[in-house]
Every structure is written in C-alpha cells, then in structure tokens.
Amino acid sequence: KSENTIFDAKASRDIYELQGGQLALAVGYQFNKEELANPGAPTTNTGNVMGLGYSAAFGSRDINAVFAELYAPVLKNLELTAAIRYDDYSDVDGTWNPKIGAKWTVIPQLVLRGTWATAFRAPGLYETSTANATAGFVTASDPVRCPVTGLAADCQGTVLGINTGNPFIKPETSDTWTVGVIWEPIPGLSGTLDYWNIKTDDQITIGSVQGVLNNPGNFPAATIGRDTNNLPGIPNSGTVLYVSTPFQNANTVKTDGIDLDIVWRQSLKEWGTLTTEFQWTHVFNYSQTLGNIEYKYAGTSGNYDVSSGSGTPEDRWNLIIGWNRGPWSVTGTVRFVSGYDELPWSNEGAQMPADCLWHLSPAPGGTNEQTSCSVDSFTTLDLAASYKGFKNWEIFGSIINVFN
C-alpha cells in the first residue's frame, strides 16, 4: 500500500498598480510525507507462477517545499510572469527551480507568448531502494548467438528483464522553453501554434535490454544471465535467460516539436452551433543518450523497453466536429497516427534481424513471414452523442473506432 500525508499553506495579495493592472504576489509552503509498502504478488518472486511479471517496492521520505509566483501586467498589452520553487527531500539534495513567461498582445487578433523553466524530479521510492524489483518479458536479439544459429530463440527470443532500485542514482533536471502565437483573424476562428523544446539531464530510466546485449561494456551495473549451452569455441555464449539492470541516469534526453490547434465555431441559427477543431502534434526529435550512445526514437517503435513497442510516431492529428442544439450534442472525432519504422531506434548501426523487429510474426522464412519493416499510418473514427433534456439526467453513448 502507499500513503501520502500532505499539508500546504498559501497566501496572495496585490502589491502595486501597474499600467496593465495589479502587480500580484503569491507565496506558499507544502509538506509531503510519502510511505510505500508493496510486497508484490505472493509466489511470483520465487518463480512459482510462470510467465507472470513481478513488482515490489518499499520506502518512506519527507518533502518540504516553498514557492512564490509573481504576475506583472507591465503594460496593457504586455504581461510578465515569474515563479520560483525550492524542494528539499530527506533522501536527496534540495533544489531551486525558476520559471519565467511573457505574453505580448501585438494587436487584439494576434498574441505572442513564450516561457522558460527548469525542473527537478527526485528519484521515486521505487527507484532508489535495493529492496525494490520488477520483472517482465521483452523480445530481444542475441548478437552473440543469432549470427551463428539463426534460430528464432536467439534472433527473436523472449528474455526476462529485471529492474532493481539503485541508491546511487541522481535526481533528474531539465530545461524547457516554448514560443508560440495565438491568432484570431475573424470572430469564431482562432488558432494556436507552439514550439516546445525539452532537454533532460540525468533522466532516471531503466536499462535497455537490447542495448545491454549489444554493448554490455557501456552498462557496467547490468548483468546478463545465460544458460550453459555454450556455442562451440565461444565461452559464455549460452542462451540468454535474463538481463538485470538497476535504474540508472541517462546522460541526456532531448525532444522538440510543435503543437497546432485551430478552432472554428459557426452559428447555424435555429439549427444550433457547429464547432470544428483540428489538433496536430509533430515530433522533430526524441533521443536518449545512454551508455555514451545516442538512441533516436522518433519515427520508430522505440523506446521499446518503456513503451513495449507502441512506437513514437512523428505525427498525430485529430479532427473534431461537434454539433449542439438545445439538449442535443453529437461529436465525431477522426484520429490519425503516422506510420513508423519497425526498429528499436533509428541511429546508424541498429542491430536487429534484417533490420526489423520480428515481434508479431515468425522470423524471415517462417510461416506468415513478415515482409515489411514498417507500420503503416492508421486513421480511426469515434462517434459520441448525448441528450440533456431531462431534469438531473443525461443520456449519452459513444462508439470507439466505428469501422473496426
């Protein structure tokens, strides 16, 4: 079980009259006590339940924080904001983190905005205690045995990945900045476009099972467990049984992209209101440096050890059309996800059978052989409707993915 005890106090007041309004200040204090006791499912840690993952965690700590925020409408068309927060953890060092922002109304229809901030994430109780562990299964290729045997068990084998706590990991720190524009050219039509850039240092992450197998020297704290069926003349080349890696700090994680949101509201007079919204996110880059190697995930099925192969598509967009009239409401949502390569990462030298992840079908030459190294883009349609014509009652329903 887990328990959190939280106490906080806040105060705010106006300080001074500026040209655009009141200069306002808010301050606060927060105390948080975290306690965790999760012994895990009985018998899974002893292997009596085959094929089932295992997770356990224990620990406790106190957190004290103070913070302040300042809002300054220095001009009628210019707003500045600033904030700072100090967090002190009983099990890691304290840290100061600032944030600043600006909003400039160039003309009533056009607004420019931007922010910059640093952030801090202390290791969780689950991530620091050596009494903590989790285990699950992933598919991986053994670079020692696969080139020799070509067997599915070595080229697309199921490997037990074990992750344990690490008392020596450091907190994560990050820098984030955004710039954007808000535009409303005509009444009823508005749009926002924002660019975001995030750099995280010492990101707390699990070790990549495939990364450890490919470059064990870059992961000195990891352990590869092998069977005794060594290949002739190759010591320590038995079938991979498990890869154990403690939580660790990645060198750097970088990601940047854009968000676009356009909304158009139309009055249909006695026939109600029609609202059309288009949302689009594009990822320019998402990369992680681990063991002195940069892994690029945008447009691939990675980060496989975190997402279980759900992928990191570069583009996602939603087209939402909603109609409202009195108590009636009907909404249709078209969702699009771009295709991606079936690789764990896209940097040069990715080592997988035929450069593909043969997770969902037999290896090349087998029955129902997978012949594509990519996942196609896909589009779905969701429908929802509601009626609020009854007092204290609402009738609603939805269909997810209408055509599948």
Side-chain angles (χ1 to χ4, degrees), residues 201-226:
D201 293 318
D202 296 321
Q203 184 194 45
I204 300 170
T205 183
I206 60 176
S208 165
V209 169
Q210 189 64 62
V212 172
L213 291 173
N214 289 350
N215 300 281
N218 288 329
F219 302 87
T223 302
I224 301 175
R226 293 182 177 272

Side-chain angles (χ1 to χ4, degrees), residues 73 194 401:
D194 293 284
N401 197 0

Side-chain angles (χ1 to χ4, degrees), residues 85-274:
R85 181 183 177 98
Y86 177 77
D87 293 274
D88 180 68
Y89 287 72
S90 60
D91 55 346
V92 295
D93 295 334
T95 180
W96 291 95
N97 288 286
K99 178 181 180 180
I100 58 175
K103 180 180 177 182
W104 178 30
T105 304
V106 183
I107 57 176
Q109 297 81 17
L110 180 64
V111 176
L112 303 179
R113 61 184 178 182
T115 62
W116 172 82
T118 68
F120 164 90
R121 186 179 85 81
L125 296 175
Y126 183 85
E127 297 163 330
T128 55
S129 174
T130 54
N132 304 338
T134 184
F137 296 92
V138 300
T139 302
S141 173
D142 184 354
V144 176
R145 295 181 61 90
C146 180
V148 178
T149 69
L151 298 175
D154 297 324
C155 299
Q156 56 170 20
T158 299
V159 177
L160 178 65
I162 304 173
N163 302 113
T164 60
N166 180 356
F168 303 107
I169 54 175
K170 299 179 292 185
E172 295 179 4
T173 60
S174 68
D175 288 272
T176 302
W177 61 273
T178 67
V179 292
V181 58
I182 306 172
W183 188 38
E184 189 174 355
I186 59 175
L189 177 63
S190 63
T192 63
L193 177 64
D194 293 284
Y195 170 79
W196 41 268
N197 186 296
I198 305 171
K199 178 184 177 184
T200 303
D201 293 318
D202 296 321
Q203 184 194 45
I204 300 170
T205 183
I206 60 176
S208 165
V209 169
Q210 189 64 62
V212 172
L213 291 173
N214 289 350
N215 300 281
N218 288 329
F219 302 87
T223 302
I224 301 175
R226 293 182 177 272
D227 206 343
T228 58
N229 58 333
N230 291 336
L231 297 172
I234 304 178
N236 194 29
S237 59
T239 301
V240 176
L241 302 177
Y242 69 88
V243 175
S244 176
T245 61
F247 282 95
Q248 57 191 307
N249 294 107
N251 300 99
T252 305
V253 175
K254 299 178 182 178
T255 183
D256 69 318
I258 56 174
D259 291 329
L260 175 67
D261 191 355
I262 300 174
V263 180
W264 184 24
R265 293 182 176 87
Q266 298 172 273
S267 173
L268 304 179
K269 299 182 179 179
E270 67 270 18
W271 292 103
T273 302
L274 183 68

